[in-house]
């Protein structure tokens, strides 16, 4: 038996528990979020050569100049997304390899996920299919435009940072909905939670973060 099959080693339950404890020590509290992190096998989302590092609390390269998000960031954003109750319809901008998508998929109704890099989207599709996750719809497109024909959304989560909040995302937010988005130039981004109330938008700063930039166009 390989270490993977026998459940000992770098991807074992014990290794995952250690990650969950670390997230708790760093302020993540929501039991369902911690359980989702424990449950989703992050090592399946990275190249085999990196699987021994999959349960470290760090971002890791996934090719095409992109990274799988840091577990703490995924946990924090997911908490921010569900704090006021379960959103039925969620738009995600920046699917990447689908890790964040997988973590939140069990905690929301339905996910619409947009990625501009076709090759990454394909990989995300495969990863989620292998895990039996079925409430996610993928689109190869430019997240600056959102996902107009499926709007409005109860929640929108962006995994890449624009210089300013895209108008289309605000417009596609349902009344009472929240947009979780990193904003600003690299090195000085703030993670914002913007809540829509009628035509008013209330902004809350969730702290400093470091994301790849949101880029327009699809490839
Ligand atoms: N949360 C993801 C990682 C996201 S990295 C994970 O867990 O794997 C950010 C992703 O946003 C990258 O894959 C990048 O290609 C994508 N991205 C950047 N600009 C975009 C845009 N305008 N529309 C859609 N996706 C975009």
């Amino acid at each position: 038996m390989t270490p993977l099959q026998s459940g000992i080693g770098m991807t074992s339950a014990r290794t995952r528990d250690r990650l969950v404890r670390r997230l708790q020590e760093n302020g993540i509290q929501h039991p369902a979020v911690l359980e989702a992190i424990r449950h989703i096998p992050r090592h399946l989302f990275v190249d085999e050569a990196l699987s021994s590092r999959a349960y470290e609390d760090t971002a890791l390269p996934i090719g095409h100049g992109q990274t799988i998000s840091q577990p703490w960031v995924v946990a924090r954003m997911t908490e921010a997304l569900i704090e006021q109750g379960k959103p039925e319809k969620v738009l995600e901008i920046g699917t990447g390899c689908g890790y964040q998508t997988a973590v939140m998929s069990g905690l929301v109704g339905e996910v619409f996920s947009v990625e501009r890099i076709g090759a990454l989207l394909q990989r995300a599709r495969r990863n989620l299919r292998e895990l039996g996750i079925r409430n996610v719809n993928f689109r190869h497109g430019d997240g600056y435009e959102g996902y107009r024909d499926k709007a409005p959304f109860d929640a929108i989560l962006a995994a890449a940072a624009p210089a300013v909040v895209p108008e289309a995302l605000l417009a596609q937010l349902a009344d009472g909905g929240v947009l979780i988005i990193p904003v600003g130039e690299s090195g000085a981004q703030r993670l914002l939670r913007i809540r829509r109330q009628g035509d008013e938008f209330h902004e809350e700063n969730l702290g400093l973060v470091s994301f790849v930039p949101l880029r327009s166009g699809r490839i």
Side-chain angles (χ1 to χ4, degrees):
M1 252 197 305
T2 67
L4 214 162
Q5 288 163 330
S6 61
I8 43 173
M10 298 312 286
T11 59
S12 69
R14 220 183 326 142
T15 309
R16 296 188 202 186
D17 285 346
R18 202 181 309 134
L19 170 61
V20 167
R21 270 203 308 281
R22 196 189 152 99
L23 297 183
Q24 283 177 304
E25 283 160 15
N26 289 309
I28 305 299
Q29 294 176 349
H30 201 299
V33 173
L34 292 166
E35 198 43 49
I37 296 271
R38 194 196 314 274
H39 176 68
I40 299 295
R42 191 170 184 254
H43 65 279
L44 300 183
F45 289 80
V46 297
D47 277 353
E48 220 171 317
L50 287 171
S51 61
S52 67
R53 302 191 53 200
Y55 297 95
E56 291 175 14
D57 189 21
T58 55
L60 294 168
I62 53 173
H64 309 274
Q66 306 302 320
T67 54
I68 183 172
S69 305
Q70 179 193 352
W72 185 86
V73 169
V74 169
R76 186 67 197 101
M77 288 180 92
T78 309
E79 269 190 344
L81 196 74
I82 63 172
E83 228 152 42
Q84 316 288 328
K86 174 180 169 179
E88 273 314 314
K89 237 168 97 183
V90 178
L91 171 64
E92 178 182 38
I93 307 296
T95 321
C97 64
Y99 177 66
Q100 166 80 68
T101 326
V103 167
M104 73 171 146
S105 67
L107 305 173
V108 304
E110 198 175 13
V111 182
F112 296 84
S113 191
V114 181
E115 169 59 54
R116 69 182 286 271
I117 301 177
L120 281 177
L121 191 68
Q122 259 180 19
R123 197 192 308 173
R125 260 203 186 103
R126 202 175 53 231
N127 287 338
L128 269 66
R129 196 185 315 127
E130 278 169 14
L131 293 176
I133 294 169
R134 293 203 180 78
N135 60 336
V136 178
N137 306 272
F138 297 96
R139 174 177 282 187
H140 185 204
D142 182 351
Y144 270 107
E145 293 164 18
Y147 203 145
R148 199 169 312 154
D149 40 316
K150 299 291 181 187
F153 297 96
D154 303 315
I156 302 177
L157 186 154
V164 294
V165 179
E167 278 297 323
L169 300 188
L170 294 173
Q172 291 174 26
L173 210 49
D175 196 7
V178 288
L179 166 61
I180 319 284
I181 188 167
V183 178
E185 304 300 331
S186 74
Q189 298 159 357
R190 293 174 310 144
L191 183 63
L192 301 181
R193 175 163 53 187
I194 301 170
R195 183 176 300 281
R196 178 173 199 163
Q197 267 157 350
D199 285 330
E200 286 183 20
F201 295 90
H202 302 278
E203 192 177 297
E204 189 187 338
N205 187 352
L206 301 180
L208 290 175
V209 285
S210 175
F211 279 83
V212 296
L214 193 71
R215 296 195 190 287
S216 53
R218 56 172 208 178
I219 55 174

